[in-house]
Amino acid sequence: MCGIVGYIGNREAFPILMKGLHRLEYRGYDSAGVALINSNGELGVYKAKGKVSDLETFVSDKDVTGNIGIAHTRWATHGEPCQENAHPHYSSNGRLAIIHNGIIENYMEIKKHLIECGFIFRSDTDTEVLVQLIQYVQDTENVSLVSAVQLALKQVIGAYAIAVLDKEQPEQIIAARKSSPLVIGIGDDEYFLASDAMPIVEYTKRVIYVEDDTIAVIRKGDALRILDLNNVEHNPEVKHVELSIGQLEKGGFPHFMLKEIFEQPQCIANCMKGRISQDLGEVKLSSVIDYKERLLGAHRFIILACGTSWHAGLIGKYLLESMCHVPVEVEYASEFRYRDPVITPNDVVIAISQSGETADTLAALKLAKKKGAFIYGICNAVGSSIPRETDTGSYIHVGPEIGVASTKAFTGQVTVLTLLALALAKEKGTISNVAYQKIIRELDAIPEKMQEVLKQNDAIADLSKIFTYAHNLIYLGRGYCYPVALEGALKLKEISYIHAEGYPAAEMKHGPIALIDAEMPVVVIATHNTLYEKIVSNIQEVKARKGKIIALVTKGDTVVSKLADHVIELPSTLECLDPLITTIPLQLLGYHVAVHKGKDVDQPRNLAKSVTVE
Ligand code: M6R
């Protein structure tokens, strides 16, 4: 979703802003823009539909000098993607420029009033309303920009991260946040501003995560000031970011997605590091140690998430129920937040999110918290909003995920859920020592087994060619591999734009079987586990209707291998760890189909990496 970058200091702002926008491209966007104040105090605003590179071409003959500026990538919500709707937006008097990530929900009402007062609007956006409102407050109340922003934001309902430039104060950026991410980087006599730390780490590792309902007064040469809307000063906590530049680049891979798929063995090893002791044969999660009573006392777990994280949550349900014998519900955060869910203080909510910024997940967990639940977060982005709202949790430690299609975050989430289930089950006494030890030993072998799967990349790339012209695919799995089927289908559709559905294999005969004919490829996860015989029967049902079977089987399989049209052999593992292995070939399959179709794998159309609006 929208990305924000800002700079104030002694360097030329434009190259820093453009580099920053490129770093935020992964979030998904459809237009870009920049505002700069040059040494003559002139405010220049330039915008273009399309990519950041289109903006760079557009400004090639313009004056983009200046040591202060703000820039933006827009993911359209109010108004189509076009130059007029791209940010920054000007105030009517041409004095202010604003960039915004979020949604101003009561913009219609404010706009109506401003139009009555004579304001003219040039775009269809909710953002332009905000900058005009700030001007209106400045004009009518005769106050400073800081006060005008505070007063304007008090009238606004919705979510925002904003940055405002005032050409009358060319040494200052005002930024503010409510429910949309905003980070300030502190350099030597310079400040950086961004939606996340990625555009900043190249220049400084010292950052401040701006809190909700506060505004930042960023002035060159002065200490940073954080105020709330009532002008009370806050003391910001300066944090150190661990990100390195290498993590933000493709490292020789053609796409971030492929790089991230290949990083999984290392990521999973990192995720388990310090949490599993093979010598002692035990799992130690600090969150479980610190909040043992609260977690062991849970009468129920409710997992809240969206998209791929929701699929990981489904696997979490299987893990927690079978190991800990506690009921688990898995909810789409977007549905949960608008119901009146029954929550008791004995409930533990697990919020799962790669970005830690997903608006629905954040709102759902806040609702659960208000109703008394204890909140456990499983996130990737360190310092993001969700971990800051939770009572405790575990980071997945897989490093920045830049490809829009989530890959390593999924296996990281499943790994943390496995560790959580094991740690709780051990404390509760609901798992035998033999089973506990067996899973711990097998977890140690997972990175190497993932590596083995990745060796089949070329073969999977070849196999994927046959799907390039398919219009529909079905993915089937059972038990722990049913969510993997959902995830495989999601990977394919989001980057190759081919329609795909995931189903529990046995559910197929209750409807989807009507779709099967000789044109329909059916991907079946048929590894050796307790449901193997059942899935063989499901494969027979597809075969009988001439569907084309692509089966994921365990190495040495003879039965399914004979029935299937194409086979991908995988190393054997324990049933509860199957998703960590079976997901990888499906990620590769989705990736290669999209590449064959010539799609923009890392930035698929309409999608955003960090879904900060509902
Ligand atoms: O950052 P989150 O994990 O909260 O994001 C949730 C979904 O938006 C995300 O998983 C989405 O479905 C991905 N594009 C899947 O690849």
Side-chain angles (χ1 to χ4, degrees):
M1 303 239 137
C2 301
I4 282 180
V5 191
Y7 175 77
I8 182 165
N10 295 316
R11 312 188 212 197
E12 277 302 306
F14 183 73
I16 294 172
L17 296 174
M18 288 306 106
K19 202 164 196 186
L21 288 190
H22 282 296
R23 293 253 187 254
L24 293 181
E25 281 190 300
Y26 80 99
R27 295 168 70 88
Y29 70 105
D30 39 54
S31 54
V34 60
L36 295 143
I37 303 177
N38 68 16
S39 52
N40 299 324
E42 290 156 349
L43 174 64
V45 174
Y46 309 108
K47 322 197 263 193
K49 183 182 168 185
K51 295 286 182 191
V52 176
S53 54
D54 296 311
L55 174 67
E56 287 167 320
T57 309
F58 177 68
V59 299
S60 55
D61 58 349
K62 315 270 186 304
D63 172 21
V64 287
T65 60
N67 308 125
I68 174 169
I70 53 177
H72 188 263
T73 45
R74 174 175 187 253
W75 188 87
T77 56
H78 295 61
E80 60 168 304
C82 61
Q83 196 184 30
E84 295 72 40
N85 289 334
H87 301 204
H89 290 283
Y90 271 121
S91 56
S92 280
N93 60 7
R95 181 176 155 179
L96 309 176
I98 195 171
I99 52 175
H100 167 221
N101 170 23
I103 290 182
I104 307 301
E105 288 173 11
N106 57 340
Y107 81 104
M108 288 290 270
E109 186 188 311
I110 300 172
K111 188 172 182 173
K112 191 166 164 268
H113 173 66
L114 291 172
I115 289 172
E116 282 162 11
C117 296
F119 280 79
I120 293 168
F121 286 82
R122 306 177 197 92
S123 78
D124 305 320
T125 65
D126 50 333
T127 304
E128 191 187 359
V129 174
L130 186 51
V131 74
Q132 307 280 34
L133 178 64
I134 297 170
Q135 182 200 316
Y136 173 76
V137 175
Q138 256 185 330
D139 292 349
T140 52
E141 307 282 330
N142 196 18
V143 289
S144 70
L145 179 63
V146 175
S147 303
V149 171
Q150 285 167 322
L151 291 169
L153 291 179
K154 281 186 179 177
Q155 296 184 43
V156 152
I157 300 170
Y160 51 79
I162 56 165
V164 186
L165 283 187
D166 178 354
K167 71 173 179 181
E168 305 295 318
Q169 288 170 280
E171 305 251 297
Q172 170 182 279
I173 300 175
I174 303 290
R177 168 203 155 119
K178 181 181 189 143
S179 300
S180 291
L182 196 59
V183 185
I184 297 173
I186 304 168
D188 291 335
D189 221 13
E190 59 185 353
Y191 291 103
F192 305 83
L193 183 73
S195 296
D196 62 42
M198 293 195 197
I200 296 176
V201 284
E202 197 162 340
Y203 311 102
T204 177
K205 302 275 186 207
R206 299 175 66 228
V207 301
I208 284 166
Y209 294 98
V210 180
E211 296 292 337
D212 269 355
D213 296 306
T214 59
I215 76 167
V217 183
I218 310 166
R219 291 183 65 86
K220 195 168 120 188
D222 284 356
L224 178 72
R225 290 179 68 210
I226 305 284
L227 307 165
D228 64 20
L229 299 188
N230 295 319
N231 218 29
V232 176
E233 291 264 355
H234 286 230
N235 235 341
E237 192 189 340
V238 180
K239 300 237 162 118
H240 184 87
V241 200
E242 299 294 343
L243 277 178
S244 71
I245 292 297
Q247 288 177 298
L248 308 180
E249 289 173 354
K250 288 186 198 144
F253 284 89
H255 297 99
F256 281 109
M257 182 180 177
L258 192 62
K259 177 187 177 220
E260 286 157 7
I261 293 173
F262 270 81
E263 279 174 350
Q264 288 176 107
Q266 189 56 54
C267 291
I268 297 317
N270 292 347
C271 178
M272 293 189 291
K273 204 154 123 197
R275 290 168 166 170
I276 293 187
S277 160
Q278 289 296 337
D279 294 346
L280 301 175
E282 63 181 15
V283 174
K284 288 264 179 250
L285 275 186
S286 54
S287 49
V288 174
I289 298 168
D290 296 346
Y291 293 92
K292 195 161 131 187
E293 269 174 38
R294 192 66 189 78
L295 294 168
L296 295 184
H299 291 186
R300 172 176 69 155
F301 286 100
I302 301 171
I303 298 180
L304 301 176
C306 302
T308 287
S309 298
W310 186 79
H311 296 156
L314 288 179
I315 296 169
K317 173 182 169 78
Y318 287 61
L319 289 163
L320 286 161
E321 286 189 343
S322 82
M323 291 190 206
C324 307
H325 306 175
V326 185
V328 181
E329 289 167 23
V330 187
E331 299 255 11
Y332 283 119
S334 54
E335 287 298 313
F336 181 89
R337 65 180 288 196
Y338 287 117
R339 286 199 279 112
D340 190 10
V342 178
I343 306 281
T344 73
N346 294 320
D347 288 326
V348 169
V349 159
I350 303 177
I352 308 178
S353 173
Q354 185 289 127
S355 61
E357 298 294 351
T358 301
D360 284 322
T361 309
L362 189 57
L365 85 79
K366 283 183 182 168
L367 173 69
K369 198 171 171 181
K370 209 160 110 197
K371 286 176 174 264
F374 181 80
I375 316 287
Y376 193 107
I378 297 181
C379 292
N380 190 33
V382 176
S384 55
S385 302
I386 291 176
R388 286 189 285 143
E389 287 292 332
T390 54
D391 293 302
T392 186
S394 308
Y395 281 114
I396 60 174
H397 294 309
V398 300
E401 189 181 67
I402 294 173
V404 162
S406 190
T407 52
K408 61 179 182 174
F410 177 76
T411 44
Q413 290 162 345
V414 172
T415 303
V416 163
L417 285 160
T418 309
L419 299 182
L420 178 63
L422 281 168
L424 291 175
K426 186 69 180 157
E427 292 288 350
K428 283 173 86 88
T430 48
I431 189 168
S432 73
N433 196 41
V434 175
Y436 179 73
Q437 295 298 333
K438 206 168 155 189
I439 300 171
I440 288 178
R441 274 197 308 276
E442 184 59 14
L443 275 169
D444 197 38
I446 289 292
E448 213 175 304
K449 292 189 178 181
M450 286 178 152
Q451 221 40 287
E452 234 181 280
V453 181
L454 290 168
K455 285 188 188 141
Q456 299 190 57
N457 181 40
D458 290 345
I460 295 173
D462 266 358
L463 175 63
S464 66
K465 284 185 192 143
I466 60 174
F467 305 129
T468 311
Y469 300 103
H471 293 294
N472 297 289
L473 267 95
I474 290 182
Y475 286 67
L476 301 176
R478 297 190 74 142
Y480 283 97
C481 287
Y482 152 55
V484 176
L486 297 180
E487 178 56 12
L490 178 63
K491 287 294 84 91
L492 186 79
K493 61 188 151 192
E494 67 181 337
I495 55 171
S496 69
Y497 319 147
I498 296 176
H499 175 241
E501 294 291 338
Y503 279 99
E507 189 61 23
M508 187 189 56
K509 54 186 157 305
H510 299 287
I513 200 163
L515 297 168
I516 292 179
D517 60 17
E519 303 295 305
M520 176 67 90
V522 182
V523 179
V524 189
I525 306 154
T527 44
H528 271 283
N529 58 42
T530 48
L531 293 166
Y532 180 72
E533 305 299 335
K534 305 278 173 205
I535 208 136
V536 170
S537 307
N538 300 135
I539 290 174
Q540 296 281 18
E541 290 156 10
V542 175
K543 283 273 321 164
R545 284 149 189 96
K546 300 196 167 32
K548 294 275 166 293
I549 307 278
I550 303 92
L552 306 192
V553 299
T554 306
K555 214 187 276 170
D557 178 281
T558 49
V559 180
V560 173
S561 300
K562 281 196 194 110
L563 294 172
D565 299 274
H566 305 279
V567 163
I568 300 171
E569 284 202 332
L570 303 172
S572 77
T573 187
L574 297 175
E575 186 162 352
C576 65
L577 304 183
D578 238 359
L580 294 173
I581 298 298
T582 53
T583 302
I584 294 178
L586 301 187
Q587 295 170 341
L588 287 171
L589 197 63
Y591 169 78
H592 288 294
V593 173
V595 170
H596 292 316
K597 289 180 78 80
K599 302 296 179 204
D600 187 348
V601 174
D602 284 334
Q603 291 163 37
R605 69 181 182 203
N606 305 336
L607 288 182
K609 182 71 184 164
S610 194
V611 185
T612 50
V613 297
E614 60 174 292

